Amino acid sequence: MEEETLNPQSKTLTSEDDNNGDQPMPDLPDQDPSSSDSDSDSDSEDGDQAQKNLQLQTLEAELSTNPGNYDAHVQYIKILRQIADIEKLRQAREAMNELFPLTPSMWQDWAKDEASLSTGSDAFPAIEKLYERGVFEYLSISLWRDYLDFVQENDPSVRECSPAGILKARDLFERALTAAGLHVSEGSKLWEAYRKFEQAIFDATDETDNQARDKQIQRIRTIFHRQLSVPHFNMRSTLLDYKAWEVEQGNILNAGSSDLDGISSHVASAYKKALEMYNARVHLEEQICRQDMSDSEKLQNFMNYLKFEESSGDPARVQMLYERAITEFPISSYLWLDYTHYLDKTLKVGSIITNVYSRAVKNCPCVGELWVRYLLSLERGHASEKEIAAVFGKSLQCILTLDEFLDLYLTRIDGLRRRISCPVEGESVLDYSLIRETFQNASEYFSQYLKNTDGLLRLHAYWARLELNLHKDLQAARGVWESLLKICGSMLEAWQGYITMEAELGHVSEARSLYRRCYSKRFPGTGSEDICYSWLRFEREFGSLDDFDRAVQKVTPRLEELQLFRSQKESKLTEEGENSSKKNVHDKRKQVSEIPDEHYPAKRQKDASQKPKKAHGKDSDVLNPGEQTVEKIKPKGDKPDLQNEQRMKEHVPEKTKVYADQCTAFKTVGTLQANDEHLRQFFSDVGGVVAIRLLHDKFSGKSRGLAYVDFSDDAHLVAAVAKNKQMLLGKKLSIARSDPKHGKKEHARGSESRESAETSNGPRAHQALQSSHNRGSDNVQLRGRNTFATPRNVLALGQTANKPKTEEQGEEKPKSNDEFRNMFLKG
């Protein structure tokens, strides 16, 4: 016997044989020795039996270690049917149905096997329950027909046509029509079976009991009218059957006519409407009934059909079509989610929704959203706490993601909270210990996997809030936060949540104690600074002046420590970037120097004073990647060209300026504010200031304590250096020369000095300041001594290359970048 199997890959129910699983189970082996077969047949049977026993052992071992193996369950049941081991077969089917829904043909096989092996009235209820379980799991016209036939043939009360038996059969037929009567392609089979049942009752009615016979005739006529109002295949055939039946009852109708002549107007109107509905759906029915298409195409055809039915606005027809689609694609999570969403939207509450959800999670147990919706559906339907707890327990046994498990726990807690805070009349009041126990289980589980995550923070914050507001236990709420801090002590948000709770309760001392515990901790990003500033804001809003002063004393050294750490880190990153950039430039220069001169285009013969120099002395307009140049305009005479200076300031954005390595720099300490306008005024007596650039930390946006100032020529640059030790905003500035290339190899130094000589018409001094403002701000904060540096290739005013340097000039010996960094750290 070949079973109908569920193909997980295609997500469809597929039958492996043409008889839909109707092959009966073999008879049990005859135990009479006198009726044994021949010796050769016996040997063959023994060999087959041994092989099957070996297969059974293999399958039993597989199912013991992997009970979720669907195909192994199917093969195990198949072999047990072949050897007719009824007890093991029952156990195997029950075990499989605990984990998976069975296909309609598998339920048919099970019921028929039990019917063939069981005798007596005691067997009927057990088999009837099997049919009930089968029609619950999937929609199947053939399974309903078998169920109806079984009841009519084996139920004594129905077989004898007793009033109770007739009522039972009618109720079962009505259930079948409710479940599948709207099935367009096969629903007419149930209507015909119902009519035949009522016709059998009419035939068995005493001919002298005219009242009973007339009543039965009206029942059959009503079934005909109901069927003719429903769109299905072969509607004309049903109409002709009805007209023929009316003729049998003595009514004068043209039974052979295909029109509606002789039929009552309301029946004709209903038939026309049903026929129009059928014609609107026939092409959609043909699409889903085709066999020459892939599963994805068939599923898409179902979705198109569903979209059409939903637009028609008949929930019963929509639900029927969903059931048909589910039977074809039972493990399509998308289909189940769509189906349940539609029911939640249209029906809201009722046993229909909860039944669908129970089937959905059995077909797709690894979809967390279905379990969450299932719990909510049970709560809407006022299910008992025992039932909800059982569903929640099953969901935790499935393979889900951490986010899905967290959502499940929170949904469960939400339901408990609602039932405790807003109990429904007639329901037992729940104890708060259920919530606490659920939280504890969730915390123990997620603490292993969600450390320092928003999910764990959300769970504990919710827990603490319920302990405080619902259970009125402040100490328990604090205990929740303390347990979270043991797990996520380096998570800023955990401390902030705990502090916020204490502050909102007016517990200033407790909140201040938490600030003292965490302000010196290291948090990711700018969290360390944020908690310090948060403490200061807290003391401003809640504390006294003494409390504020004490907080300042605690916080200030910590902020300075953090700022120094970030400055050193940024300096290191900058140094690494500069070294990498210089290495790339040197490599490019080396490549250019190896190109023969004949590869360069002829140069125009113009006066150098009339043509601005390009960066690095190149005549080519092509820049290296990431480099941009600004034409330097040579001033006329000793005075700066203010027009050109203003033009550069207005038309060259600060981001497009590229500064060479020959520059001046200074570092400051202190608390004064200074911006580029202050610096420009400071050098106003010198003149020649072309541009000023303030540097900020690229991560925090705070000032790095550095600024760069460009001067138009050597004379102005030297005059700027001469302002060393002068006061700016009440603070002394320390100015010195820089030598960025100091310590390089001699051949590299010679090459760079030659190139720098070509650009000596545009020297500049650069100034660095430290600011407490965000990047892009014009205000910077001076912090004490400042250090300037000038391009090393610029000679002091009035000095020539052949004259010896004076002692004062000797003090202005250019300094390397390493020397400057040491000066900054010492400053």
Side-chain angles (χ1 to χ4, degrees), residues 60 70 76 114 226 311 330 339 370 387 398 407 626 650 696 801:
E60 287 172 355
Y70 184 93
Y76 188 49
E114 294 291 343
R226 290 170 61 188
S311 65
Y339 184 16
L370 287 174
E387 184 178 359
C398 300
D407 199 14
E650 293 175 354
H696 299 83

Side-chain angles (χ1 to χ4, degrees), residues 57 123 179 251 418 434 454 476 505 548 552 674 709:
Q57 293 176 3
N251 297 318
R418 285 188 286 263
L434 285 174
D454 292 337
L505 293 174
F548 179 77
V552 170
V709 182

Side-chain angles (χ1 to χ4, degrees), residues 492-503:
L492 175 63
E493 293 78 5
W495 289 95
Q496 289 176 329
Y498 193 0
I499 292 171
T500 300
M501 184 193 77
E502 296 289 2

Side-chain angles (χ1 to χ4, degrees), residues 763-802:
R764 58 177 173 261
H766 300 278
Q767 182 180 19
L769 300 175
Q770 192 165 10
S771 172
S772 61
H773 296 275
N774 293 332
R775 181 180 302 183
S777 173
D778 289 336
N779 294 325
V780 296
Q781 188 174 7
L782 294 181
R783 297 178 178 270
R785 298 176 58 191
N786 304 276
T787 305
F788 271 78
T790 60
R792 68 179 185 276
N793 61 306
V794 178
L795 299 179
L797 182 62
Q799 179 180 327
T800 64
N802 297 326

Side-chain angles (χ1 to χ4, degrees), residues 538-730:
F538 171 80
E539 295 296 355
R540 290 181 61 180
E541 297 174 5
F542 296 96
S544 64
L545 182 58
D546 291 339
D547 295 327
F548 179 77
D549 290 340
R550 282 191 289 268
V552 170
Q553 292 177 359
K554 293 280 189 180
V555 166
T556 301
R558 175 60 174 163
L559 289 174
E560 291 178 352
E561 177 186 358
L562 293 171
Q563 190 167 358
L564 177 60
F565 172 76
R566 294 187 182 279
S567 297
Q568 292 176 345
K569 184 177 180 180
E570 176 60 18
S571 297
K572 182 178 180 181
L573 293 175
T574 302
E575 179 181 359
E576 292 175 354
E578 289 176 352
N579 293 337
S580 177
S581 176
K582 292 173 185 177
K583 183 178 184 301
N584 293 336
V585 171
H586 175 71
D587 292 342
K588 291 175 183 178
R589 290 172 179 168
K590 183 176 181 181
Q591 294 173 5
V592 171
S593 64
E594 294 174 354
I595 300 177
D597 293 339
E598 57 267 20
H599 288 249
Y600 287 100
K603 300 180 180 179
R604 296 182 181 180
Q605 301 297 327
K606 287 191 175 182
D607 187 10
S609 62
Q610 297 177 0
K611 180 178 180 180
K613 297 287 185 179
K614 303 295 182 180
H616 304 295
K618 294 182 180 180
D619 291 328
S620 174
D621 292 334
V622 181
L623 302 178
N624 290 331
E627 295 181 352
Q628 290 177 315
T629 62
V630 178
E631 292 186 350
K632 299 187 175 74
I633 303 174
K634 183 176 180 179
K636 298 179 181 179
D638 295 335
K639 295 183 179 180
D641 189 342
L642 300 180
Q643 183 178 358
N644 287 335
E645 175 183 341
Q646 183 65 24
R647 186 183 307 154
M648 292 183 66
K649 180 179 179 181
E650 293 175 354
H651 297 284
V652 182
E654 187 68 26
K655 292 183 179 180
T656 66
K657 298 178 183 179
V658 175
Y659 297 88
D661 292 334
Q662 301 89 12
C663 64
T664 61
F666 72 90
K667 180 193 174 190
T668 64
V669 278
T671 57
L672 282 176
Q673 297 290 332
N675 53 34
D676 60 346
E677 189 60 32
H678 292 137
L679 297 176
R680 193 175 296 278
Q681 292 177 4
F682 178 78
F683 292 112
S684 60
D685 58 337
V686 174
V689 176
V690 174
I692 298 176
R693 180 163 61 111
L694 304 175
L695 301 187
H696 299 83
D697 190 297
K698 66 180 180 180
F699 298 107
S700 65
K702 298 180 180 180
S703 173
R704 292 177 49 198
L706 298 172
Y708 297 91
V709 182
D710 278 347
F711 291 91
S712 59
D713 57 13
D714 300 348
H716 293 94
L717 179 60
V718 174
V721 175
K723 293 177 68 68
N724 184 26
K725 304 301 183 180
Q726 292 190 17
M727 304 292 290
L728 173 62
L729 299 179

Side-chain angles (χ1 to χ4, degrees), residues 287-402:
Q287 291 295 322
I288 64 174
C289 293
R290 285 173 52 193
Q291 301 298 324
D292 58 339
M293 67 176 66
S294 65
D295 292 333
S296 59
E297 291 175 334
K298 192 170 186 179
L299 178 59
Q300 184 59 50
N301 290 335
F302 264 110
M303 300 311 297
N304 295 337
Y305 198 171
L306 285 166
K307 185 177 181 181
F308 171 81
E309 288 292 3
E310 289 181 10
S311 65
S312 300
D314 188 347
R317 300 197 66 84
V318 175
Q319 186 179 358
M320 161 61 61
L321 190 55
Y322 268 119
E323 289 293 341
R324 293 176 62 183
I326 289 299
T327 304
E328 294 285 340
F329 302 96
I331 58 174
S332 171
S333 59
Y334 171 80
L335 199 54
W336 282 109
L337 288 170
D338 209 41
Y339 184 16
T340 53
H341 176 73
Y342 175 80
L343 293 179
D344 285 335
K345 181 176 62 176
T346 55
L347 300 182
K348 299 293 185 184
V349 295
S351 60
I352 295 177
I353 299 180
T354 54
N355 289 341
V356 171
Y357 272 117
S358 66
R359 294 159 53 209
V361 297
K362 199 169 185 179
N363 282 276
C364 302
C366 296
V367 181
E369 185 176 354
L370 287 174
W371 287 104
V372 169
R373 291 186 186 181
Y374 191 9
L375 292 175
L376 294 175
S377 176
L378 290 172
E379 185 180 354
R380 292 190 189 99
H382 304 291
S384 65
E385 168 60 22
K386 182 178 180 180
E387 184 178 359
I388 296 176
V391 171
F392 177 67
K394 289 181 180 179
S395 69
L396 298 182
Q397 305 301 318
C398 300
I399 302 175
L400 304 175
T401 65
L402 288 174

Side-chain angles (χ1 to χ4, degrees), residues 10-64:
S10 63
K11 300 184 179 180
T12 58
L13 290 172
T14 58
S15 178
E16 295 183 359
D17 53 2
D18 296 331
N19 61 10
N20 198 26
D22 292 337
Q23 181 180 350
M25 187 178 70
D27 295 334
L28 291 173
D30 193 348
Q31 302 297 326
D32 186 0
S34 63
S35 61
S36 61
D37 297 328
S38 64
D39 292 342
S40 60
D41 293 339
S42 178
D43 293 340
S44 176
E45 289 178 0
D46 291 343
D48 292 340
Q49 185 69 28
Q51 183 178 3
K52 290 177 181 178
N53 289 336
L54 181 61
Q55 292 177 346
L56 287 176
Q57 293 176 3
T58 303
L59 290 171
E60 287 172 355
E62 168 63 20
L63 292 175
S64 63

